[in-house]
Amino acid sequence: MKTFIRLTAIVRPYFWWMALAALIGFATTGSGIGLLMTSAYIIAKAALQPPMAALQLGIVGVRFFGLARGVLRYAERLVSHNTTFRILAKLRLWFYDALEPLAPARLLHFRSGDLLQRIVDDIQSLENLYTRVLAPPVTAILVALLMWVLAGTYSLQAALLILCFHLLAGIGVPLLTMLLGRGLSVGIMNRKTDQQLLALDLIQGIGELQVYGRLAGHLEEMRSVESAKLQLQRKNAIVEGLQESLTGLLMNGAVLTILWALIPIVSTGAMNGISLAVITLAVMASFEPFIPLPAAVKHLEADRHAGKRLFEILDAKPETSSPAAPVPFPANRAIKIEKLSFTYPGSLTKALDSICFSVPAGQHIAIVGPSGAGKSTITSLFMRFWNSSEGGISIGDVDISLLDPEELRRNISLVSQRTYLFAETIRENLLLAKPDATDEELRKALSQAGLINFASKLDEWIGQHGMKLSGGERQRIAIARIVLQNAPMIILDEATANLDGITEKEVTDTLSSISRGKTMITITHRLKAMDQYDNIIVLDKGKIVAQGVHENLMNREGLYHRMWELQHATPAVLTEVPE
């Protein structure tokens, strides 16, 4: 119930629109009832062969209610769907606004396929919250009150009997189908989630599955999940058929009961036969808004489950947050790291252990070390994806925790090992760095990044994750973003790790060219062109084991020297010595 209350609070701003749609829905059903009542009146009255003038009221009523029913149905659909789409848009924006501060720290515990299921299908499921959960009961209650008034004018007993059948149709049948179908909607949603996770694993890991001989087992698991989902859907279809049959049975029972209750009144002359026919058909029509109620209970279960899954993410506290009164970004771009320590949640080993170093404004430094040394952790802390356990990072003597995170990231250009490109055009991917950039600025950025041939392909689609581009081209797109962003600080986190030697040198030269006069931190385990850096910091197991320029570090017999020798050693040429 708590989840449902929280969901209804989200749609509360649209209360009057929902009320208007419910009122029009009631008027639509009322027009249907009026159409049958006036039709019954004409047929029953005409059987008595009255003057034509006596039928005029019924004729006008049929025309009016017939036209009104169509117009009102259109208006109800227009208002209800407009309201639903507004609610859905609000839900998506609300979820993204709440999700964005959680990335990436708080989202590491969720698989990407599961997140996609929650973002797309679970939110899509909530579109039923109004049209199929909140609106139908309101319409049914209003119609029940209308029938109470109509039947009560002739017989209180008849009104009570109709009310009893309406209660059975509005409460009894939904409760019964809820008990019979308990867990079916949630089970189907869970199987769909499992299918999406398995499909994503198949697409992304088909090579590994083939290498380790697990492809056949994975496909069998997918078939098993599909079979389980189909079995649940069959059970759900049986329950849906049962609820429709029960509602129809109650409608027929109500008709027979109302005849049983009113025929004695007709025989006494207190009510004529025409009125009996009119009320009987009105009772039949009054069950129309009760048909969706069992489905409303089913959708309520699905919506509560979807809401629970969404709130499971949104209730998580962001790892970092913006200060109440952010300090303006300092003009001094000097970076200072003092006694910085960090331990990842669930780990007993420090990723960084009391490291200290500084980067004067405009200098280029490199942070090197073996994999797992803690190099990329520095990037995560610098971008405020995580908060440090101890110590801190300052820019111009201002601790970055006092800065607005968005302002901080706007002043830092980051190129990581894996450049993420959206399944969009080159233009759209570049505009992420500068949304108001002109075509001339985009072409200039591509030219500086070594992609002059792409200047005429701005509106070319690059495929999912940029798969139509090579690894070097994707990294150059990232460099073009740096040019457009024009931030005073640049961080390169293994930016050339996956490139071949020739492409790596071209990308490195381009980066050196566009970073002149800017502060640049290069994080890498590949020691190439190290003499161009003003300072080199060597990390091992989260600690700084050495720092200095390339020549000084090579003169020491330390980790840096061993890494250099290992990466630049010339393979020995083995020759066969004749006997």
Side-chain angles (χ1 to χ4, degrees), residues 352-365:
L352 295 175
D353 189 2
S354 299
I355 66 170
C356 301
F357 65 89
S358 59
V359 186
Q363 277 201 0
H364 292 186
I365 73 161

Side-chain angles (χ1 to χ4, degrees), residues 3 7 94-95 117-128 185-186 189-190 299-314:
T3 301
L7 289 173
W94 159 76
F95 184 75
Q117 177 77 15
R118 299 181 193 227
I119 293 171
V120 178
D121 290 350
D122 286 352
I123 291 182
Q124 190 71 29
S125 172
L126 293 180
E127 73 173 346
N128 299 319
S185 297
V186 174
M189 292 178 68
N190 288 337
H299 287 297
L300 175 60
E301 181 187 16
D303 291 346
R304 286 178 57 211
H305 178 68
K308 185 178 180 181
R309 282 166 49 84
L310 294 176
F311 288 129
E312 182 182 345
I313 296 177
L314 301 180

Side-chain angles (χ1 to χ4, degrees), residues 382-383 395 408-414 485 487 489 491:
F382 205 98
M383 301 298 291
I395 300 176
L408 172 69
R409 292 161 192 159
R410 278 195 294 269
N411 282 274
I412 301 173
S413 293
L414 172 65
Q485 187 177 355
M489 291 177 282
I491 297 179

Side-chain angles (χ1 to χ4, degrees), residues 4 60 85 135 160 169 223 249 251 264 325 388 398 418 516 535:
F4 179 71
V60 172
F85 291 139
L160 288 173
R223 282 190 286 268
L249 184 63
M251 180 194 71
S388 59
V398 176
R418 296 180 179 178
R516 290 192 182 98
N535 190 25

Side-chain angles (χ1 to χ4, degrees), residues 178-444:
M178 180 184 71
L179 293 174
L180 294 176
R182 184 183 296 275
L184 291 179
S185 297
V186 174
I188 292 172
M189 292 178 68
N190 288 337
R191 296 296 82 76
K192 287 182 177 179
T193 300
D194 294 341
Q195 280 185 314
Q196 193 154 17
L197 292 174
L198 290 169
L200 192 62
D201 289 343
L202 176 65
I203 294 171
Q204 294 182 343
I206 190 169
E208 289 80 357
L209 290 171
Q210 287 178 322
V211 168
Y212 291 101
R214 288 287 302 143
L215 182 58
H218 191 84
L219 292 174
E220 179 59 33
E221 187 176 359
M222 293 181 71
R223 282 190 286 268
S224 176
V225 172
E226 174 67 14
S227 177
K229 186 189 77 171
L230 289 176
Q231 186 176 1
L232 291 173
Q233 288 177 333
R234 290 190 193 100
K235 292 181 180 179
N236 191 56
I238 293 173
V239 173
E240 288 181 353
L242 177 62
Q243 70 191 30
E244 292 179 6
S245 300
L246 288 175
T247 303
L249 184 63
L250 288 172
M251 180 194 71
N252 292 328
V255 170
L256 293 175
T257 303
I258 200 70
L259 289 172
W260 172 80
L262 294 181
I263 285 176
I265 300 177
V266 174
S267 63
T268 62
M271 178 181 183
N272 58 42
I274 295 176
S275 299
L276 177 62
V278 169
I279 291 296
T280 302
L281 289 185
V283 170
M284 292 179 63
S286 69
F287 277 82
E288 179 186 352
F290 290 89
I291 295 175
L293 294 185
V297 175
K298 181 188 69 174
H299 287 297
L300 175 60
E301 181 187 16
D303 291 346
R304 286 178 57 211
H305 178 68
K308 185 178 180 181
R309 282 166 49 84
L310 294 176
F311 288 129
E312 182 182 345
I313 296 177
L314 301 180
D315 287 342
K317 184 180 179 182
E319 178 67 24
T320 61
S321 57
S322 179
V327 176
F329 198 84
N332 183 0
R333 303 294 195 267
I335 300 170
K336 191 173 184 180
I337 295 179
E338 295 184 294
K339 298 181 180 179
L340 186 65
S341 298
F342 180 73
T343 304
Y344 285 100
S347 175
L348 300 177
T349 305
K350 288 186 176 181
L352 295 175
D353 189 2
S354 299
I355 66 170
C356 301
F357 65 89
S358 59
V359 186
Q363 277 201 0
H364 292 186
I365 73 161
I367 301 176
V368 303
S371 297
K375 305 185 299 296
S376 294
T377 303
I378 296 177
T379 302
S380 297
L381 295 175
F382 205 98
M383 301 298 291
R384 289 212 66 202
F385 296 150
W386 300 86
N387 284 325
S388 59
S389 305
E390 300 173 15
I393 303 173
S394 61
I395 300 176
D397 296 326
V398 176
D399 193 287
I400 62 172
S401 63
L402 302 177
L403 301 173
D404 177 55
E406 293 301 320
E407 181 69 17
L408 172 69
R409 292 161 192 159
R410 278 195 294 269
N411 282 274
I412 301 173
S413 293
L414 172 65
V415 180
S416 61
Q417 180 176 351
R418 296 180 179 178
T419 297
Y420 190 91
L421 297 178
F422 289 92
E424 269 292 350
T425 62
I426 295 174
R427 180 194 305 276
E428 294 297 329
N429 277 279
L430 291 177
L431 290 177
L432 291 173
K434 188 179 180 182
D436 59 346
T438 64
D439 283 3
E440 183 60 32
E441 290 176 309
L442 297 179
R443 295 189 184 97
K444 183 178 179 181

Side-chain angles (χ1 to χ4, degrees), residues 444-456:
K444 183 178 179 181
L446 289 170
S447 177
Q448 288 184 258
L451 292 174
I452 185 62
N453 58 314
F454 279 29
S456 59

